[in-house]
Structures are given as C-alpha cells and as structure tokens.
Amino acid sequence: MHELLVPVGDYESLQYAIANGCDAVYLGYKKFNARAYAKNFCEEELRDAVKLCHLYGVKIYITMNTLVKDREVTDFLDTVSFLYKIGVDALIMQDFGMICLVREKFPDLEIHASTQANVATKEAVELFYKLGVKRVVLPREMSLAEISKIDVPIEKEVFIHGALCMSYSGCCLMSSMIGSRSGNRGECTGCCRLFYQLYKNDEKVRDGYLLSTKELNVSSRIEALLKSDIVSFKIEGRMKSPLYVGFITRFYRRLIDGEKFSYEQELEKLRILFNREYTLGHLFEDDIRNSTSPNHLGLKIGEVLEVTTKKIKVKLSYPLYQEDGLRFYKARAGFVANFIYDINGRLISKAEAGSVIFLDNKIHLKNKDILYKTTSKKIYDDILNLKDKKIPISISVQAFCGRKLVLVIRDLKNEVVVTSNTVEEAQNAPISKERIERQLRKLGDTVFVCQEVEIEMDENIFISIKELNELRRKAVLKLQDIRENSLVAFHKRKLTFPVLPIDVKKGISVKVETEEQLQQVFDTDISSIYVPRQIYQKYKDNPRCILSENFSGVQTDSLCLRKFYRTPTNDISDYTFNVFNIYSVYYLLKLGYKKVTLSVELSNEEIFLLFTHFKEVFHFTPSLEVIVYDRVVVMNIFGNILELEQGSFSYFLEDDHHRKFPVVYKDGFTYIYHYEVMKRDISLFSSLPISLRYSFSFENATNMHQIVNK
C-alpha cells in the first residue's frame, strides 16, 4: 500500500484533497511550521480538520518543522500536547533537540523526520530509527537507486511533485543572511527565484534566473516508484489553491490506482494550472534547472500571426474558451479572454485547435509572440463539480418475531450494533425484505453509501417505516462519531536528564581551506585547526589538526549529510547541524560529540541565553563553539548547476542590489557564499568557557593575521 500524501494550506484545500482521493494530508498550525506565509489552521479549524480526516479514513500530519529557540520550547511542547490530544496521526519535525525531547516525553506520539532534517545517509536513517522516529522524509537530492540501498526498517517518504529547492533543504541560509528571514523558521523569501548575473573575475558569463528550478513531476515514472519500498508519495504545495490541490490529488490517485485515462490530456490541464517546466528531479537523475522563468508558464496554445493597435491575430494549437487566462511569452504580459472573435470578426465563446481567431490588444502588443493559457474556467468548473466522497458500508438486519430488531453497520474497521422494539407479527400487510432493504439504503446526504444489505427475518412480521428510519439514523450517527473521534491514549512521561561527563576547553579554533592558510596558523597558539580531507593526510600527526569532513564526505555516523570535524576521539558538530536550543546541544553531547557548534543564525544575546539556560536545566557546563568570523555558505547545492571550473575561486553571482556572492564548485557540489563576512565581537564572549572559531575561505595570509589578532 502506497500512501498519497497531499498538502493543504486551508480548510477548503483539505476538502478538495479528501474528495479527490488522498490517503493522508499534511498541514500547518499557526505556529512552528515551515510555511509561515500560508493561511494555515487555527485551533478550531484544526479540531474540525482532524474529525473530517478521520471520518474519511484519511491520516493527518502536522508540520512542526521549524527550528526552535529556547524561549519557545515551552510553547512548542504545549502545542505538541494539544495536537496529540486532538488526535493528529503524526508530527513532521526538523529540530533534532525537539525530536529527541518529544520522543522521550510523548513516547506514543508518531514522529516523522522532515526533509529539512536532511537525513541523507543510511547511518543517519539508522540513528533516527533508533530514536523511535517512524518515518523519514528523504532529501529531494537523493536518487531512487540511492534510496533503495537504505535497508533500514523505517518508513520512507519522498516528494513526487511540486516546487524544488535549489539548495539542500535545511542547509539554505540565504534568506536568513540577506533579510533575517530564516527558511529554517518558515520565512523563506525565495532568493533562488531571483535574477542573477554570473561573473568570472570581472567578465560576465551569463545571466538569468540561474538558481531557479523546474517543477518536480515524476508522474511518467510512477510504475518505478510503485515497485520501490517507498511508503509515502508526497506532493508539495501548501501555498497552492484549493482547485490545484483537488486536481493534482485526483491526477496522482488515478495513476497510483492504475486507472485508464488520457495521460497527455490531463498533463495539458496540469500545465494550465501550474507549470514552471517539469523535471524528474534528482530522484531520476534529471536536470532541475530553469533559468528562463521562475513563474507559472501555463500551456502553449498558439502563435501570434499579426498585430495591430486594436487586434491580435492568433493561430491556435489548443482549444480556447471565454474567460481563459492568457499570457504572451516574450512580452511577459497577459489578460483574460473576455472577447474572442472568429476569422470573420464575430464573437464566439469557444475556438477549436487549428482555428484562427482575433483578440483585443489590451496590452499594446507590438510584435509577434507565443500564446500560453495560464488559467481555465472550464477546468476549474470540472473540479468544482466533483461529487462528494462516500464511505462504503454494509448493513445487516435480524428481524424475528418476539425478539428485538437488530441492525448492524460495518465499515472496514468498525462495527456498530443498535436495537429497537420487539418485532411483532403482522396483523394486516407484512413488510417485505425488499422494502426493508430499500429503506435502509436511503442514506441521503450522509457521508456513507451502502454496498451490501443482508437481511435475516421471519416472513409474517410488521416493522414501521419510521422505526426503520430511526434505527438507521441512530446507527449511522454512532458510526460517524466513532470514525471522527478515534483518539489514541495520551501518554506523557516526566523526564530526567543525567549529567554528562563533558570536558570543556576554552580556546580559539580556525578552519582553513588551503595548505597556504594552514601554514599561516601553525606558528600561533590556536588550539584547534580544522583541515579539509585533501590536505589532512599530510598533517594528521599534528595534534592540533582535526579532519574537516566536508558536505560531500564519506558516509559516517554523522547526524546527516553535513560538515563535522573529527579526530580519532573527538567529533565536533558544525553550524550546519542547525543547533538552536539547549536540547539539541544536550542530545548531541549525549550521542558522543565532544563539542557542539551553534547555528550562525543565533544572535549574540540568544547564545548567551542558551549557555546560561543550559547550566540551569542540566546542571553542567556544555562544550560549545561559536563562529565569530566566517564567509558563511548560504547554499549547498548538489551538482555543478552553474557549470563552473572545478575548484576555481574566480566566480561570483551578482543580484539586482549589486551584492556579490562568491560561488565555488568542488567535489560534486556547488557552494554559494554570503556577499559579506559574518563577524561577532569576541569581547562579548570573553567571560564564557566556550571555543571561538574563525572560518577562512578566500582570505590570504595577511588577512588571516589581521583578523585573528584584532
């Protein structure tokens, strides 16, 4: 059984998703979800959503997938408790500390590790499995072949349709660094959809929407997915309209169920609803880039033959209806087709493919162009006219003289038994079996449909129609109540946190990228030097040199596919572990990490509070590292998406604000660095027993000495 998991941004979308055949939905509460700009659900709507989903046998997962700051932990846990009590089926979470804490505090609550957690290796999946996580949402960068090699008894979930992130999910800091809106906190501003110019030194190489992606669409490969061990097929789109949600749900429902239909015709409709060009994604090792346009293109339906100041003459390759939305590709402008004229200038409501028509030149089009359809009233009407989903049930009746009338209603999981008055012998006309069945099948506007009626009865009996109706109504309401209110038992633990034997060393550490940089810090009193693999072997005997496992490092027991630093006895987690709170620190130390680097997204004040709060809660001093100087990598991208020379530091991207982002391709990954260096005032941390790190990337020897000796 493969689950079709559908996004819903509001209650109307939820209704369309259910009506069109989803198995499960995921949605956000007003707090702690990674789509802060979606409508999301308030408390009352969420209670209703749980009841509606469970009524139809649909699972409901809530996205609690943001990073959580210490001052928010109490509110976060209260929200988890509320969601648990109202009966949600699972929580989708990113924050490592919160995952560990919630698993211990609420052991019976199902947790799914979000794609933001970036669980990309077998070892990482095993770690989450051991923590009791029920399911991992695997990164979009993984191929089907790679996924198949993860032989861990945990549920696997993958995205099969929708928007893609250019950067690894959970590892993109661009929105946060530029505008203080963290993608890890649900506030992504979509920097990857902007216009950029690529330069090598001072020479422009190309421009366009260089970080924009196509829309994921693996519908043509659904058979391969159905043969895999992937449990859940996930569609992205909590910001999409209810009509889109309805259509895309029905589209994949029919594919998964093997229904026969015109795939190409439905794909054309899908292009009209939303099309940013399609890709099979990394799942099937396809190119994801779309540098032409970051927006909805629609479906190409014709070409402009002639243009006058008043009219646009078009040859159609696809039908056009009145009230369709149109876009002229080169002009980047469009309008709604309120008036369509045939070749003779007469108004028409529909034009067939192959015909020549005229449109009013509302946009002052001057040149020939390509015409796209971007909305369709006809498609919307088709979705709106969909019948409500019905739940199949069977009904059985026992009607014997001198015994109570018994009616039983069953669905796939539940059975409801109701009884009425004692059945009497008929004085005049006895009721027939056919009449009883006809009456019991009258389920009207309820959510149920009767598939089978079984009746055991004496022949000469009397049952009033009113009694049958009342018994049927009573049974249906009881079954509906059972389905709507199927809650799990609420189980909450009181936790204790043992003191961990941690060796805390205050000092200065430096991360280098080149051998030249390494040589410059050997004659200093720096306590630790993080060295990349390509030069580590030469200097591994120096006790201060610590191996830096880069983003593309070998698979290890690391939390996920992120940087960490290691000696034979000392693992240090990097800032890419997104440590935001004391619980992430505690559980990483408990796993065996000797030092935990805090997120670069935390402010100085938040770092101070974290250190102080940790000691108050856990009663020992944590081993922490804070980055005080770094040209932060704001995007980690799989592949050479900008077609750069391997290892060259000569490239940069420039945005419309003339900000220059250095960009480097090495070892199979593209790294985009922040346009400016992140600096912290080290005097602010002088009173704390923590390690301070300087991370060098483009700096030369002179720069390094000036920076460290300030």
Side-chain angles (χ1 to χ4, degrees):
M1 174 66 182
H2 297 275
E3 174 186 271
L4 177 58
L5 177 56
V6 175
V8 292
D10 56 26
Y11 202 84
E12 188 180 6
S13 295
L14 174 63
Q15 292 171 312
Y16 276 100
I18 292 173
N20 283 279
C22 68
D23 297 307
V25 297
Y26 66 102
L27 52 95
Y29 188 37
K30 288 293 185 184
K31 298 178 286 187
F32 304 114
N33 86 87
R35 283 290 184 271
Y37 304 128
K39 288 183 181 179
N40 296 312
F41 287 69
C42 66
E43 185 174 315
E44 183 180 349
E45 288 174 326
L46 207 49
R47 291 181 188 275
D48 290 341
V50 172
K51 286 189 175 184
L52 184 66
C53 286
H54 289 172
L55 173 62
Y56 284 100
V58 170
K59 290 190 174 182
I60 180 168
Y61 309 141
I62 308 300
T63 54
M64 295 283 285
N65 57 340
T66 61
L67 298 177
V68 181
K69 296 183 180 182
D70 283 312
R71 65 174 182 271
E72 301 167 332
V73 170
T74 299
D75 190 17
F76 185 89
L77 292 176
D78 287 344
T79 302
V80 170
S81 183
F82 160 70
L83 296 171
Y84 186 7
K85 287 177 180 177
I86 67 172
V88 302
D89 294 287
L91 301 183
I92 305 170
M93 297 173 62
Q94 171 191 184
D95 191 296
F96 183 72
M98 293 300 98
I99 289 174
C100 294
L101 184 61
V102 170
R103 280 296 308 135
E104 287 201 63
K105 197 173 187 67
F106 306 104
D108 297 331
L109 178 59
E110 187 170 312
I111 302 298
H112 299 173
S114 168
T115 186
Q116 294 290 115
N118 207 280
V119 189
T121 66
K122 177 181 177 180
E123 290 76 10
V125 174
E126 285 177 334
L127 170 61
F128 279 95
Y129 174 68
K130 290 174 183 176
L131 290 174
V133 171
K134 181 72 176 296
R135 178 185 297 183
V136 289
V137 187
L138 296 167
R140 295 173 175 91
E141 291 76 16
M142 294 187 73
S143 70
L144 189 59
E146 289 171 327
I147 291 169
S148 67
K149 293 177 183 177
I150 298 180
D151 54 344
V152 180
I154 196 170
E155 292 183 0
K156 301 176 187 176
E157 177 177 304
V158 299
F159 282 94
I160 62 169
H161 198 100
L164 293 168
C165 294
M166 180 58 81
S167 175
Y168 272 83
S169 298
C171 299
C172 182
L173 299 175
M174 187 173 262
S175 181
S176 177
M177 292 289 108
I178 291 176
S180 299
R181 293 187 176 184
S182 173
N184 286 317
R185 302 263 295 161
E187 299 173 334
C188 177
T189 54
C191 300
C192 55
R193 300 295 180 188
L194 301 179
F195 187 88
Y196 292 94
Q197 299 179 82
L198 176 65
Y199 287 85
K200 182 178 182 182
N201 296 319
D202 292 325
E203 183 179 347
K204 183 175 172 180
V205 178
R206 72 178 75 90
D207 61 24
Y209 300 96
L210 302 179
L211 302 179
S212 187
T213 64
K214 298 175 182 177
E215 200 82 351
L216 180 65
N217 179 348
V218 302
S219 57
S220 63
R221 299 290 185 90
I222 201 70
E223 288 297 328
L225 290 171
L226 290 172
K227 293 175 183 177
S228 74
D229 64 348
I230 296 166
V231 168
S232 181
F233 301 151
K234 187 173 194 173
I235 296 170
E236 184 279 335
R238 278 190 285 149
M239 304 288 282
K240 296 289 200 308
S241 72
L243 291 173
Y244 174 88
V245 170
F247 182 88
I248 200 68
T249 302
R250 180 169 55 176
F251 180 62
Y252 277 99
R253 178 79 276 154
R254 297 166 79 185
L255 286 170
I256 292 169
D257 292 348
E259 182 181 329
K260 300 297 183 183
F261 65 96
S262 174
Y263 173 77
E264 288 302 326
Q265 286 183 9
E266 294 303 298
L267 194 60
E268 287 173 345
K269 293 177 184 178
L270 180 56
R271 287 194 174 98
I272 294 169
L273 288 172
F274 197 84
N275 172 26
R276 199 152 35 196
E277 295 189 2
Y278 296 131
T279 174
L280 294 169
H282 296 298
L283 196 61
F284 292 98
E285 302 179 62
D286 196 10
D287 187 5
I288 69 170
R289 296 171 295 176
N290 176 12
S291 60
T292 306
S293 172
N295 302 315
H296 172 41
L297 294 171
L299 174 70
K300 180 183 175 182
I301 65 165
E303 295 184 358
V304 175
L305 301 177
E306 295 177 17
V307 181
T308 68
T309 55
K310 292 185 177 181
K311 290 286 188 288
I312 303 170
K313 186 178 182 181
V314 178
K315 174 71 177 290
L316 293 176
S317 56
Y318 189 84
L320 175 64
Y321 294 84
Q322 197 172 15
E323 297 186 53
D324 283 347
L326 302 176
R327 179 180 176 85
F328 294 85
Y329 181 75
K330 296 176 185 176
R332 297 184 181 274
F335 53 79
V336 175
N338 293 322
F339 300 101
I340 306 170
Y341 306 89
D342 67 12
I343 194 68
N344 299 311
R346 293 174 300 194
L347 276 173
I348 54 176
S349 60
K350 174 189 175 183
E352 298 290 351
S355 61
V356 175
I357 54 100
F358 291 91
L359 299 166
D360 292 325
N361 194 352
K362 301 178 183 180
I363 58 172
H364 309 293
L365 189 69
K366 292 181 173 57
N367 303 306
K368 292 182 180 181
D369 212 321
I370 303 170
L371 184 62
Y372 282 76
K373 184 188 292 193
T374 56
T375 64
S376 168
K377 186 176 183 299
K378 185 177 185 300
I379 294 175
Y380 293 160
D381 288 343
D382 287 345
I383 300 171
L384 287 168
N385 289 332
L386 189 73
K387 294 180 180 179
D388 290 337
K389 184 177 179 181
K390 293 290 186 179
I391 301 164
I393 60 171
S394 63
I395 301 175
S396 62
V397 174
Q398 294 176 2
F400 299 104
C401 262
R403 288 154 61 179
K404 287 186 178 295
L405 177 63
V406 179
L407 185 146
V408 181
I409 291 184
R410 298 181 182 88
D411 61 19
L412 291 176
K413 294 182 179 180
N414 306 291
E415 179 179 282
V416 170
V417 180
V418 292
T419 60
S420 186
N421 299 322
T422 302
V423 178
E424 297 179 353
E425 187 175 350
Q427 299 299 313
N428 297 309
I431 191 168
S432 67
K433 182 180 287 188
E434 291 74 20
R435 183 61 195 276
I436 293 175
E437 178 173 346
R438 189 165 65 247
Q439 210 61 35
L440 293 178
R441 285 185 179 274
K442 291 182 178 180
L443 295 170
D445 59 357
T446 71
V447 299
F448 300 104
V449 60
C450 182
Q451 290 190 324
E452 181 183 12
V453 176
E454 182 180 344
I455 302 172
E456 298 179 79
M457 60 180 288
D458 289 334
E459 291 188 2
N460 190 36
I461 59 171
F462 171 78
I463 305 171
S464 72
I465 300 302
K466 180 180 179 181
E467 185 178 4
L468 275 176
N469 290 342
E470 180 60 25
L471 200 61
R472 182 197 63 221
R473 186 190 69 82
K474 183 179 177 182
V476 165
L477 288 176
K478 191 172 181 180
L479 179 59
Q480 182 169 332
D481 181 67
I482 290 171
R483 291 179 69 97
E484 287 180 339
N485 297 289
S486 53
L487 305 180
V488 296
F490 182 80
H491 181 200
K492 179 179 178 181
R493 283 180 183 160
K494 186 174 181 179
L495 302 183
T496 58
F497 299 95
V499 173
L500 303 176
I502 301 300
D503 182 19
V504 178
K505 292 181 180 179
K506 184 175 181 177
I508 300 293
S509 65
V510 166
K511 181 179 80 71
V512 299
E513 292 288 343
T514 66
E515 188 169 5
E516 179 189 7
Q517 291 173 339
L518 176 61
Q519 293 289 347
Q520 296 304 315
V521 295
F522 267 149
D523 60 351
T524 68
D525 59 356
I526 289 169
S527 55
S528 300
I529 308 168
Y530 303 136
V531 183
R533 176 173 287 276
Q534 62 267 28
I535 56 177
Y536 174 73
Q537 291 301 318
K538 185 176 178 180
Y539 297 94
K540 64 181 180 180
D541 293 333
N542 188 307
R544 292 189 296 163
C545 288
I546 298 174
L547 173 63
S548 166
E549 280 289 8
N550 212 333
F551 196 74
S552 55
V554 296
Q555 289 191 353
T556 69
D557 60 353
S558 59
L559 177 61
C560 49
L561 192 67
R562 296 175 181 164
K563 291 178 185 174
F564 71 104
Y565 306 96
R566 132 172 300 185
T567 66
T569 59
N570 187 4
D571 283 358
I572 303 166
S573 68
D574 200 13
Y575 72 88
T576 46
F577 278 55
N578 293 331
V579 174
F580 257 59
N581 55 66
I582 63 171
Y583 294 97
S584 289
V585 175
Y586 181 85
Y587 286 110
L588 284 172
L589 292 174
K590 189 177 179 181
L591 276 177
Y593 287 94
K594 303 303 181 184
K595 192 186 298 181
V596 175
T597 307
L598 300 181
S599 169
V600 293
E601 295 188 79
L602 292 176
S603 68
N604 290 340
E605 179 187 8
E606 288 165 339
I607 291 170
F608 268 94
L609 290 173
L610 186 151
F611 180 84
T612 305
H613 190 44
F614 187 100
K615 293 180 67 176
E616 292 172 351
V617 172
F618 300 115
H619 308 296
F620 67 94
T621 301
S623 179
L624 299 177
E625 185 153 286
V626 173
I627 297 175
V628 294
Y629 178 95
D630 193 5
R631 175 80 77 150
V632 177
V633 175
V634 292
M635 280 195 185
N636 292 282
I637 304 170
F638 179 76
N640 190 5
I641 57 103
L642 295 172
E643 300 173 7
L644 310 179
E645 295 174 19
Q646 164 77 21
S648 173
F649 285 78
S650 304
Y651 295 94
F652 66 88
L653 289 170
E654 184 173 333
D655 67 8
D656 286 344
H657 297 280
H658 305 294
R659 296 176 293 208
K660 295 178 172 60
F661 300 83
V663 56
V664 178
Y665 171 70
K666 54 183 177 180
D667 303 324
F669 293 84
T670 300
Y671 302 93
I672 300 177
Y673 293 79
H674 195 30
Y675 69 90
E676 62 182 6
V677 173
M678 184 207 75
K679 301 176 184 177
R680 297 186 192 270
D681 183 353
I682 63 171
S683 65
L684 298 172
F685 303 100
S686 59
S687 63
L688 301 181
I690 60 177
S691 177
L692 305 180
R693 185 203 303 176
Y694 295 85
S695 293
F696 295 114
S697 48
F698 304 94
E699 292 78 6
N700 57 35
T702 303
N703 296 147
M704 290 171 62
H705 280 290
Q706 289 175 345
I707 293 162
V708 175
N709 294 323
K710 273 189 177 180

